[in-house]
Amino acid sequence: AGDEDRASEIYHEDAVLEFPQSGERFEGVGNVREWRRAYPAEVDLEIVRVRGRDDFWVVEVRARYDGGPWNYGPAIYEFRGDKVSRETIYV
């Protein structure tokens, strides 16, 4: 948390981040990194469970914004080689 440069190392340069519930979509690791840097709320995130295989993984997460109530949902990670090519988050 708070080190967006280091956190962005898991992504391919052309990675896509999507939030289907809001319709937000960010293309390219630079755009993902800048969006996270500018996010207006403090986010607490906890990993509940990780399941998957090969190039497809699902992470059950809980998140809260500005100390509010916990929200639960999955984050889906698609890999190309050893880096994330697409991340889809439902919270």
Side-chain angles (χ1 to χ4, degrees):
D3 186 349
E4 296 307 329
D5 290 326
R6 182 148 168 87
S8 296
E9 291 176 3
I10 69 167
Y11 299 99
H12 279 284
E13 285 299 318
D14 62 347
V16 173
L17 170 61
E18 295 179 306
F19 293 89
Q21 72 278 7
S22 66
E24 292 173 283
R25 177 183 167 95
F26 302 91
E27 297 182 14
V29 70
N31 291 323
V32 171
R33 183 175 42 246
E34 293 310 311
W35 171 78
R36 286 189 170 142
R37 280 186 178 143
Y39 197 76
E42 180 181 328
V43 180
D44 296 311
L45 182 69
E46 292 185 3
I47 296 172
V48 176
R49 184 181 311 165
V50 178
R51 292 186 260 182
R53 71 172 85 116
D54 302 324
D55 61 355
F56 189 84
W57 291 83
V58 175
V59 179
E60 294 177 46
V61 298
R62 66 184 206 149
R64 66 180 174 186
Y65 305 91
D66 293 327
W70 287 104
N71 299 285
Y72 294 82
I76 301 167
Y77 293 87
E78 298 175 54
F79 284 78
R80 189 172 65 238
D82 62 350
K83 292 194 174 193
V84 174
S85 60
R86 179 180 301 274
E87 179 178 10
T88 306
I89 300 175
Y90 297 87
V91 177

